[in-house]
Amino acid sequence: MPKTLAKKHTEGKPRSKKHGLTEAQIAVHWKEEAYIRPPARFIAQANLNDNYALERFSEKNFPECFREYAELLHWDQYWHTTLDTNHPPFWKWFVGGRLNVAYNCVDRHLAKYKNKAALIFVPEPEEENHIVITYQELYRRVNEVAAVLQGFAGLQKGDRVTIHMPMIPELPITMLACARLGIIHSVVFGGFSGEACGLRAADSGSRVLIYVDGYHRNGRWVDHKVSADIAVETAKKEGQVIDKVLVWKRYHHKYTSDAPMIMERDFFIDDILKDYRNAVVPPVSMEAEDPLFLMYTSGTTGKPKGCQHRTGGYLAYVTGTAKYYQDIHPEDVYWCMADIGWITGHSYIVYGPLALAATCVIYEGVPQFPDAGRPWRIAERLDVNIFHTSPTAIRMLRKAGAEEPKKHNYRFKHMTTVGEPIEPEVWRWYHEVVGKSEAVIVDTWWQTETGGFLCTTKPALDPMKPGSAGPACLGIYPIIWDEEGKEVASADHAAGNICIRNPWPGIMQTIWGDPHRFVEQYYKKYNKNAQSKDWRDWPYYAADAAVLPPDGYYRILGRVDDVINVAGHRLGTKELESACLTIQEIAEAAVVPVVDEVKGRAPEIYISLKPGVLPKKQIIEKVTSTIETMIGKIARPKRIHIVPDMPKTRSGKIMRRVLAAISNHMDTGDITTLANPDIVEQVRQIVQGREIMPLNEGPEDIKLFGDER
Ligand code: WTA
C-alpha cells in the first residue's frame, strides 16, 4: 500500500485538495488488498456456516428477521410487535415482551454450567493468582450485591447509578446486580477524572456512586477513591446530591487509599455484604423497552451525551452478533482486552458473551506490563481461543515485541479488532504472528450509539480483506451519501457519509434527557419528511466517512464531525477546547487530530492568548493539567502551540482544517478566502519551523494502552 498517501488521510471532512485530488479520492486510490480465506477447521465448527442466513435477514424479511436474535434469550413474556415505528426515530423493539438481563446472563446457565468459569480475573501483578468465578459464584455474588443496592442503598427500578471502576470482577458483578433490579447503570471509564465522573453522574441524576479504593495499572498503584470526593463535589455544583458512595476494596481485607471514608456518605460494600450473605433477589421482569444502561460518549458539543440503551433489543443484538461474528460457544475461553468502561466492554465482555454462557477473561492491567509477552503468557496459561483488541493495542504490542507471540504456545481460532481503521500491514502482523495464520479475523465497525457491530465479515462465510471492515452485518442496510444526499455508489470511487437505512435492535433509544439532540444529531441530516412514520425516511447518520468498493466491503475512513479517535477512544474536540477556555490567560483554543504512529490519532492544541498576556511555559503546563483534571489523562495533548491568532473565515470561524493540515505537514489547500490568510504561514513557522515545547516526550507514548492514568 502507498504508505505516504495513507498517512495523508486526516479526520474531518475529507475535502482538502492535494494535487487536485480530494482526501476521499486519495483514500479510494488505496490498493485493494487480496482476500484471505477462513480456514476449513474454523468453518467446520462455526456458529454461522450456511449462507441461508443472508436470505433469512434479507430486506424483505425485515424487521421479523431479528426475532432470530431475540429467540436466543429467555423471555418471561413473548413480545407481540417486533418493531413499532409509531414515533420515528424513537423505535420500539419486541414490544410487549418482558425479560431480565441478569437472568439471561447468569441464572439460566446454572442448570448446565454452574461449575463452569464465567469470569477469570487476571490481576496485573503477575505473582498474584487468577481468580475464577463460576456461574454459580457469579449468581451468588450478583444476588448479594443486588440485595445491597436494594436493601441498603434503597435503589429500585428506573433509578440511575454511576459506577466509576476499573477492570476488576466487581465491575461486571455490580452491573449485573443493577440489571437484576432494573437499575440503570452508567459506567464511567476508570481512566476518566473525578470531575468527568461527577458531570456524568449529575447529568444522569445518580444519587449513588460506586467506586473501588484503587487498582494496579502499569506497575503502579492507582489511588482511585480520591477521585470520588471530586466527583461528589462536581455533581453538587451541578445541582446533584450524591448521598451514598459505595466503595469496593481491591483487596477485601484492607483499604488501600489515602482518601478518608466520609462518615454517613461512604460505605464499604464488603462490610455491608456481610448482612446479605446468600441473599436471593428475584430478577425484576423488565419491559423490552425499559432502559438498561447509559454510556456517555463525546459528540459535537462540549457536553458528553448519555446514550441510552434498551433492555430487550440491546441484549438480543449483542447476543446474536457475539454468537455469529465472534463465534462464541460456551466451551470457548474469550478474552477481550478492551475496558468494560467503554461500549466494547459492555457489549462484548459482559452482556453478549455472558448471555452465551462463555468464559470471559478480565485483565486488570496494561497489555505490555511488565513486558510485551504478557498477553501471550495469559493466553497460553488460560488457553484463550478467542481474542479481541484494538488496532492501537496491536500496533503497540508489535512495536514493543514483534516476535513475542511466537514464543508462546497458545492457539486462537478467532480474533476481533475494533475501534479504528487498521492498516493492512498491522492487520497482517495480527494475522500471521498473533493469530499464527490460523485465526480468523473480524474487523468490526460500530459505535457507542449502535450497541453492536454494523459492518464486519461473517467469519466462516466471507473472506477477509486487510484494512476493510467488510460487508454490512445481517439485517443492516448501509448507504453512502454525499453532503447533498446523493448516493455515492461504488462505481463513483469516492467517499461519503455512511448511514444505515433501517432501524435495528441494538441502536440506542435516545440521548438521556435530550431527545431533541438525538433527532438533530443522528437523523435530521438525511430525513426528508419529519412527519413520516415510515422507517425508510429515517436513516441513521453515523458521522463516519466511508468508501464502498465493488465487492461491498466497506472501508471506514474516520469521523467527519468534531470527534477525534485517540487509541480507539472518542474525544470531543469541543470538550478539550472548553477545558482550555477555563484558563484565564487563554482567549481562543482549537483542537485538531494529528496522525500518531501508535494511537492512530492524537489531539494537538492551538491556543491564542488574551491581549497583554505573554506566552510562557507555565500556560502550556496549565493546559495539560487542566485537561487531565477536567477529562483525564487519556485526553492529554500531544503538543500545544501558542499562536498569535487563529486562521479564521470572514465570519470569524476558526478554520480547524487549516490547523490540522499544518500539524500533519500537509498542504493547507485554498486559504485565499480566509479573513487573515497571512497568519497561516506564521502558524506554520511556529509549528513546523521551531517546534516549541514538545510535550509527552519519551517512552510514555508507547507505555500504555492509550489511557495514561
Ligand atoms: C471508529 C467503538 C474503523 C469510527 C465501538 C466510529 C472504526 C468510532 C472501527 C466509534 C473500525 C470503530 N474501523 N473505524 N472497525 N470501529 N471505529 O463510540 O470512527 O468508542 O465512529 O465505539 O470509532 O467509537 P466508539
Side-chain angles (χ1 to χ4, degrees):
M1 176 179 87
K3 223 168 156 189
T4 45
L5 286 186
K7 280 234 156 129
K8 298 237 158 69
H9 169 69
T10 54
E11 288 171 6
K13 290 200 168 108
R15 276 199 186 142
S16 75
K17 301 262 180 188
K18 171 89 185 165
H19 310 306
L21 286 176
T22 62
E23 281 299 308
Q25 284 166 324
I26 291 170
V28 179
H29 283 81
W30 285 1
K31 187 174 133 266
E32 288 294 319
E33 300 284 324
Y35 284 143
I36 297 171
R37 307 255 157 214
R41 212 165 65 122
F42 177 84
I43 299 171
Q45 60 80 63
N47 279 323
L48 183 66
N49 59 9
D50 72 274
N51 259 316
Y52 179 54
L54 283 171
E55 167 65 21
R56 295 199 306 272
F57 282 85
S58 64
E59 214 172 326
K60 71 174 190 319
N61 291 332
F62 177 85
E64 298 305 324
C65 53
F66 283 114
R67 283 171 172 263
E68 181 167 336
Y69 286 173
E71 278 161 3
L72 296 170
L73 307 177
H74 169 90
W75 292 81
D76 304 332
Q77 188 178 304
Y78 210 69
W79 63 93
H80 52 71
T81 307
T82 302
L83 173 63
D84 172 347
T85 62
N86 276 323
H87 301 284
F90 301 92
W91 319 118
K92 290 187 176 152
W93 282 94
F94 309 118
V95 187
R98 301 191 82 96
L99 77 169
N100 182 277
V101 168
Y103 181 88
N104 273 283
C105 291
V106 187
D107 303 35
R108 68 166 173 155
H109 303 320
L110 295 180
K112 227 168 151 184
Y113 299 116
K114 77 173 162 209
N115 283 323
K116 190 181 105 84
L119 305 172
I120 304 180
F121 173 56
V122 181
E124 191 188 73
E126 217 163 352
E127 62 281 4
E128 270 184 41
N129 288 329
H130 301 161
I131 294 171
V132 176
I133 298 173
T134 61
Y135 274 95
Q136 169 67 17
E137 177 66 8
L138 185 61
Y139 169 78
R140 282 275 177 234
R141 295 191 62 183
V142 168
N143 271 283
E144 289 170 352
V145 176
V148 169
L149 297 179
Q150 192 176 51
F152 180 79
L155 292 163
Q156 52 181 342
K157 178 178 165 177
D159 291 343
R160 280 81 55 209
V161 163
T162 296
I163 306 174
H164 194 198
M165 285 173 67
M167 286 289 281
I168 55 173
E170 286 75 11
L171 174 54
I173 289 170
T174 308
M175 290 161 69
L176 289 162
C178 289
R180 193 167 190 85
L181 295 169
I183 298 167
I184 304 168
H185 61 67
S186 167
V187 178
V188 176
F189 171 58
F192 275 132
S193 66
E195 216 168 303
C197 171
L199 286 177
R200 287 159 173 77
D203 187 81
S204 67
S206 302
R207 60 172 186 83
V208 175
L209 278 186
I210 304 184
Y211 260 79
V212 67
D213 55 353
Y215 56 99
H216 296 281
R217 189 90 196 159
N218 207 30
R220 280 176 301 150
W221 176 256
V222 179
D223 185 337
H224 190 57
K225 166 66 170 62
V226 289
S227 83
D229 300 330
I230 301 167
V232 172
E233 275 313 300
T234 309
K236 195 166 153 197
K237 277 190 216 139
E238 296 283 306
Q240 177 65 38
V241 175
I242 308 276
D243 55 36
K244 281 193 177 59
V245 180
L246 304 181
V247 183
W248 287 101
K249 285 184 245 177
R250 167 69 177 77
Y251 295 95
H252 296 288
H253 56 282
K254 62 176 182 194
Y255 176 57
T256 321
S257 165
D258 291 336
M261 294 289 280
I262 309 289
M263 285 271 282
E264 314 271 301
R265 187 199 76 184
D266 298 354
F267 303 91
F268 288 123
I269 302 188
D270 295 273
D271 293 349
I272 311 163
L273 275 170
K274 291 183 188 131
D275 297 333
Y276 293 91
R277 231 5 111 219
N278 289 339
V280 173
V281 178
V284 174
S285 193
M286 304 291 288
E287 284 183 29
E289 277 296 311
D290 282 332
L292 175 63
F293 68 85
L294 307 179
M295 161 78 31
Y296 281 83
T297 191
S298 298
T300 46
T301 63
K303 202 174 144 230
K305 47 187 196 268
C307 296
Q308 178 184 319
H309 282 282
R310 51 172 63 77
T311 298
Y314 170 82
L315 191 67
Y317 196 69
V318 298
T319 307
T321 49
K323 177 165 178 155
Y324 283 174
Y325 300 104
Q326 301 202 281
D327 201 53
I328 295 177
H329 301 66
E331 300 75 36
D332 291 321
V333 182
Y334 168 75
W335 181 19
C336 171
M337 279 207 314
D339 196 291
I340 293 175
W342 303 111
I343 192 71
T344 302
H346 276 50
S347 300
Y348 299 111
I349 297 180
V350 182
Y351 291 121
L354 291 181
L356 294 169
T359 295
C360 298
V361 178
I362 293 182
Y363 173 51
E364 177 178 34
V366 298
Q368 68 286 26
F369 180 83
D371 56 69
R374 185 72 190 277
W376 324 125
R377 291 199 290 277
I378 294 172
E380 180 173 351
R381 172 88 190 174
L382 299 178
D383 202 15
V384 172
N385 67 338
I386 307 183
F387 186 65
H388 184 168
T389 192
S390 67
T392 290
I394 302 167
R395 288 184 212 109
M396 201 182 55
L397 287 164
R398 178 181 179 221
K399 190 167 171 178
E403 300 299 312
E404 283 302 311
K406 295 182 183 158
K407 301 179 192 158
H408 296 89
N409 188 20
Y410 63 84
R411 210 162 179 183
F412 294 154
K413 70 165 185 178
H414 182 290
M415 307 193 298
T416 302
T417 148
V418 64
E420 324 149 57
I422 182 165
E423 302 79 357
E425 65 265 34
V426 177
W427 190 99
R428 267 189 286 275
W429 180 77
Y430 195 37
H431 184 248
E432 286 159 24
V433 183
V434 178
K436 307 185 179 189
S437 301
E438 289 184 326
V440 158
I441 296 181
V442 292
D443 177 351
T444 58
W445 170 69
W446 59 297
Q447 309 175 309
T448 304
E449 293 86 343
T450 73
F453 306 147
L454 293 177
C455 285
T456 161
T457 47
K458 291 174 278 304
L461 298 177
D462 302 325
M464 302 166 259
K465 186 161 80 172
S468 291
C473 288
L474 295 169
I476 301 290
Y477 295 94
I479 187 159
I480 301 179
W481 274 307
D482 69 9
E483 284 298 308
E484 280 69 50
K486 204 171 135 289
E487 182 173 356
V488 182
S490 77
D492 297 334
H493 300 290
N497 298 319
I498 186 165
C499 299
I500 311 296
R501 287 195 286 118
N502 61 309
W504 67 98
I507 182 67
M508 68 195 279
Q509 288 177 298
T510 184
I511 293 175
W512 178 259
D514 201 348
H516 176 70
R517 196 170 153 202
F518 172 68
V519 181
E520 290 282 305
Q521 189 143 344
Y522 304 107
Y523 293 95
K524 198 172 160 214
K525 194 172 171 83
Y526 291 113
N527 167 255
K528 291 195 189 84
N529 174 7
Q531 306 311 319
S532 170
K533 292 202 185 306
D534 186 343
W535 58 261
R536 289 167 193 83
D537 290 323
W538 293 91
Y540 169 80
Y541 168 67
D544 270 319
V547 286
L548 178 63
D551 64 0
Y553 275 47
Y554 290 91
R555 178 184 300 163
I556 309 299
L557 305 173
R559 303 286 305 192
V560 296
D561 58 2
D562 301 322
V563 169
I564 306 183
N565 192 335
V566 181
H569 302 160
R570 273 165 71 165
L571 294 179
T573 51
K574 292 278 187 324
E575 282 167 64
L576 277 94
E577 288 167 5
S578 2
C580 293
L581 295 179
T582 63
I583 300 168
Q584 217 198 342
E585 293 90 337
I586 295 180
E588 287 180 309
V591 175
V592 299
V594 290
V595 172
D596 182 279
E597 194 195 342
V598 173
K599 297 177 182 176
R601 297 285 183 279
E604 213 162 275
I605 301 190
Y606 288 81
I607 49 175
S608 66
L609 304 176
K610 286 186 181 152
V613 179
L614 292 175
K616 278 202 290 242
K617 197 174 165 216
Q618 285 90 314
I619 298 175
I620 288 193
E621 285 164 1
K622 245 192 215 176
V623 171
T624 308
S625 65
T626 305
I627 285 174
E628 284 184 18
T629 317
M630 291 186 70
I631 304 170
K633 287 183 180 165
I634 49 160
R636 193 141 81 186
K638 188 162 168 141
R639 294 194 307 171
I640 299 165
H641 308 290
I642 301 181
V643 293
D645 196 4
M646 303 282 179
K648 286 187 191 138
T649 60
R650 298 225 166 96
S651 58
K653 231 179 111 194
I654 300 175
M655 289 299 284
R656 290 177 180 76
R657 174 180 68 74
V658 173
L659 296 172
I662 295 173
S663 283
N664 289 291
H665 296 259
M666 285 172 62
D667 189 337
T668 46
D670 184 8
I671 52 164
T672 52
T673 57
L674 294 187
N676 53 353
D678 297 346
I679 198 72
V680 176
E681 197 42 45
Q682 281 184 54
V683 173
R684 188 195 297 285
Q685 287 289 319
I686 291 170
V687 176
Q688 297 176 2
R690 48 183 175 91
E691 313 229 320
I692 53 165
M693 295 188 224
L695 302 174
N696 256 11
E697 295 170 314
E700 194 168 44
D701 261 343
I702 55 156
K703 213 165 55 191
L704 295 172
F705 178 22
D707 64 349
E708 290 141 24
R709 301 181 195 189

